[in-house]
Amino acid sequence: DTNEYAVRYKRFLTRLYEARVISGLTQQQVAELLGKPQSFVSRSETGDRRIDIIELAAFASIYQLPIQHFLDKCE
């Protein structure tokens, strides 16, 4: 069901955003660590662009969290 998928993805995006905030990093700082523009982080957090597994691994590494952290409670 498409709506269920959207709800689950929204939960994922919330966890991604919260991980950055808790880490004390700005979008600009994360972008610099990723070698990307700040808009990449912003668009990733808002869902304007989809995140692939390699990108998720990079975010997880920066936030010092396991990938599973971002997937928990998304089901």
Side-chain angles (χ1 to χ4, degrees):
D1 177 67
T2 325
N3 190 36
E4 176 63 23
Y5 179 83
V7 169
R8 291 171 64 192
Y9 199 74
K10 179 65 177 163
R11 287 187 205 131
F12 163 74
L13 295 176
T14 297
R15 292 180 76 78
L16 183 68
Y17 167 78
E18 288 174 348
R20 180 180 58 77
V21 171
I22 290 168
S23 75
L25 295 171
T26 65
Q27 286 184 348
Q28 181 61 42
Q29 290 169 319
V30 173
E32 289 171 9
L33 291 168
L34 291 171
K36 304 277 188 182
Q38 177 272 329
S39 61
F40 173 88
V41 178
S42 175
R43 293 177 63 225
S44 295
E45 288 182 354
T46 61
D48 289 341
R49 66 170 309 284
R50 293 286 180 181
I51 299 170
D52 71 27
I53 191 67
I54 303 304
E55 293 165 341
L56 179 56
F59 279 110
S61 178
I62 289 169
Y63 302 142
Q64 299 181 350
L65 293 167
I67 289 176
Q68 189 60 44
H69 170 83
F70 300 95
L71 305 178
D72 286 346
K73 301 180 183 171
C74 290
E75 295 184 28

